[in-house]
Amino acid sequence: MPQVSMTVNGRAVSGEVEGRTLLVEFLREGLRLTGTHVGCDTSQCGACAVHVDGKLVKACTAFAAELDGAEVTTIEGMAGADGSLSAVQQAFQDYHGLQCGFCTPGMVMAGAALLEENPRPSEADVRQYLEGNICRCTGYHNIVKAIMAASGQEVEPVAAE
Amino acid sequence: MYAFDIERPTSLADAKALLAGEAQALGGGQTLIPTLKQRLADPGTLVCLSGIAEMKGVTSGPDGVAIGGGTTHAEAAEGLKDAIPGLAYLASRIGDPAVRNRGTIGGSLANDDPSACWPAGALGLGATIVTDAREIAADDFFQGMFTTALEDGEIVTAVRFPVPEASAYSKMIQPASRFPLVAAFVARFPDGVRVAITGASEDGVFRWREAEGALSADFSPEVVTGQPEGPMIADLHGTADYRRHLCAVMTRRAVRAALDGTGGLSSAGA
């Protein structure tokens, strides 16, 4: 079986995997990092989104063995060492950008990836960037507001119209 | 998924040797991995192409632009911005951001999904598909739904695009899959105009010759009338007649975008 080594949330990890072991299985079952969710398992919903070498990737649609040597960041790696939330996480709390919370790890990872690429996105930019992240509760309004707020732009501090 | 072995070559020569047997190539995996999960494929061995540095990157030269077969959609979108804005636009709206960070141009062309975006760009620009064995003109490469001129184990190492005077891509997005319901790529060259349509025909991507003739005489949206012949895809997202109708609508919009220099536009469809 292939051996795989990567850096996950700043920590060097390694293990044996099957060829068919998905990144999300390696994270959740191998490393017990269960913050990365499996929603659809068909590459549609984005709940499993993580950063691989700084880029947004669906962890259910990449094999662990392909990512030998990669730097991976999951939702567990977003807060500071002292537990302080990242800007995107804090904004999701402040703007109530979630209801059931299942899609939230992927939404936070997508929002953070967007702000890396485009620090001051328009609302249309945010909505377009979230095309691969599905939320069945919120109707997206407060998720979009949270990401806009995390970029330092003014948004109305109220719930969805 | 059925169990399989995975190989991770770092050179094209090693990949070629590994693919000489029963093995299957794995590009970015954005189609193949979902297919494996459905147990629609049982490859035995997968040869992962993502570690082959010589198959990545976008280079511009006097003969046009070359894109390595292992280049992701996102990297291609960035690298094509100045050289061919219409093609950059096409790459920038494939799937969603996470798909664009893994999926590759070589994988998309080799798969030849009848609704994929890259085949429209390759055929619309008259690209040359370079493999580990030969060079294939786009006009000869696409041979029907999920069918190309590639032999078993042949690898798309690069794609060369000539630079047009103007080009654009217009896509009616099927919102659940984000594939085109129908999309048109239009490119104007000094010696004529090429129009490629994806998402519509049961034979996969095709050139709409009547529209090419009209646009070569007068490059303006109004001259695109009528409908292409041939069997059209019909499914729950759209009837054959609807897709046939969209061919002209998408082509006109692409011409307008090429004239405006915007690269393209998308709208959410059925």
Side-chain angles (χ1 to χ4, degrees):
Chain A
M1 291 207 295
Q3 184 76 23
V4 62
S5 302
M6 35 179 118
T7 306
V8 178
N9 300 332
R11 190 164 63 96
V13 298
S14 61
E16 265 195 351
V17 294
E18 284 190 81
R20 62 183 170 178
T21 302
L22 298 164
L23 174 60
V24 73
E25 293 168 340
F26 183 71
L27 295 171
R28 286 180 58 88
E29 292 160 31
L31 304 179
R32 305 304 294 167
L33 293 172
T34 53
T36 301
H37 290 169
V38 180
C40 66
D41 202 21
T42 57
S43 320
Q44 314 260 336
C45 80
C48 66
V50 298
H51 299 173
V52 176
D53 295 327
K55 303 281 186 193
L56 190 70
V57 164
K58 291 177 186 179
C60 84
T61 315
F63 293 120
E66 289 182 276
L67 301 172
D68 194 38
E71 284 212 17
V72 176
T73 305
T74 70
I75 189 68
E76 288 91 344
M78 294 304 278
D82 61 353
S84 59
L85 297 179
S86 68
V88 175
Q89 287 173 307
Q90 186 62 53
F92 268 68
Q93 185 176 81
D94 294 345
Y95 289 84
H96 195 55
L98 65 150
Q99 286 180 27
C100 88
F102 194 87
C103 72
T104 311
M107 289 289 179
V108 169
M109 299 314 284
L114 167 63
L115 297 185
E116 275 297 311
E117 289 176 30
N118 182 358
R120 286 184 72 81
S122 67
E123 183 184 327
D125 293 336
V126 176
R127 290 184 184 277
Q128 187 169 311
Y129 203 87
L130 295 180
E131 277 180 330
N133 291 80
I134 293 174
C135 171
R136 297 294 77 170
C137 303
T138 64
Y140 301 97
H141 286 305
N142 287 358
I143 293 172
V144 175
K145 281 182 180 171
I147 295 171
M148 292 293 285
S151 74
Q153 301 183 79
E154 290 228 349
V155 294
E156 302 212 357
V158 294
E161 297 82 29
Chain B
M1 277 180 276
Y2 296 109
F4 52 81
D5 294 325
I6 198 160
E7 298 285 353
R8 300 169 285 183
T10 53
S11 74
L12 182 58
D14 288 349
K16 213 174 146 171
L18 288 162
L19 282 165
E22 286 295 293
Q24 171 157 9
L26 170 66
Q30 302 304 287
T31 296
L32 182 54
I33 294 175
T35 305
L36 289 164
K37 288 182 183 181
Q38 302 271 352
R39 292 195 166 185
L40 294 171
D42 184 9
T45 301
L46 277 187
V47 179
C48 171
L49 303 180
S50 61
I52 304 174
E54 63 196 285
M55 276 174 53
K56 289 174 195 256
V58 181
T59 48
S60 287
D63 298 334
V65 180
I67 305 180
T71 307
T72 65
H73 311 318
E75 290 161 349
E78 187 61 31
L80 285 163
K81 254 187 202 164
D82 296 328
I84 313 180
L87 198 59
Y89 179 81
L90 174 149
S92 76
R93 295 308 312 276
I94 293 172
D96 58 55
V99 166
R100 293 194 290 272
N101 285 333
R102 293 294 299 167
T104 64
I105 182 173
S108 171
L109 292 176
N111 187 49
D112 193 17
D113 188 296
S115 298
C117 294
W118 277 120
L123 190 63
L125 284 163
T128 302
I129 288 88
V130 183
T131 78
D132 55 297
R134 59 194 166 133
E135 299 192 350
I136 309 167
D139 284 319
D140 303 321
F141 183 83
F142 302 105
Q143 301 187 346
M145 205 178 265
F146 297 110
T147 309
T148 68
L150 293 173
E151 304 286 344
D152 282 350
E154 197 171 357
I155 303 168
V156 176
T157 56
V159 189
R160 283 205 312 268
F161 294 92
V163 176
E165 294 172 335
S167 68
Y169 185 60
S170 172
K171 167 176 170 180
M172 179 69 82
I173 294 177
Q174 201 286 308
S177 69
R178 291 175 293 282
F179 273 90
L181 193 64
V182 171
F185 193 92
V186 170
R188 190 180 74 196
F189 291 95
D191 57 351
V193 172
R194 290 174 70 106
V195 177
I197 307 280
T198 188
S201 171
E202 287 191 347
D203 296 327
V205 68
F206 69 96
R207 284 175 69 183
W208 186 11
R209 306 275 180 172
E210 291 78 10
E212 290 183 353
L215 287 166
S216 295
D218 176 8
F219 194 69
S220 54
E222 302 78 48
V223 305
V224 181
T225 55
Q227 297 177 335
E229 303 283 322
M232 294 286 160
I233 299 168
D235 59 23
L236 78 169
H237 305 301
T239 63
D241 283 346
Y242 182 56
R243 281 187 164 84
R244 199 185 303 281
H245 170 75
L246 280 181
C247 294
V249 177
M250 291 301 109
T251 303
R252 281 195 291 268
R253 288 183 186 176
V255 172
R256 207 167 290 129
L259 289 167
D260 294 345
T262 54
L265 74 167
S266 306
S267 45

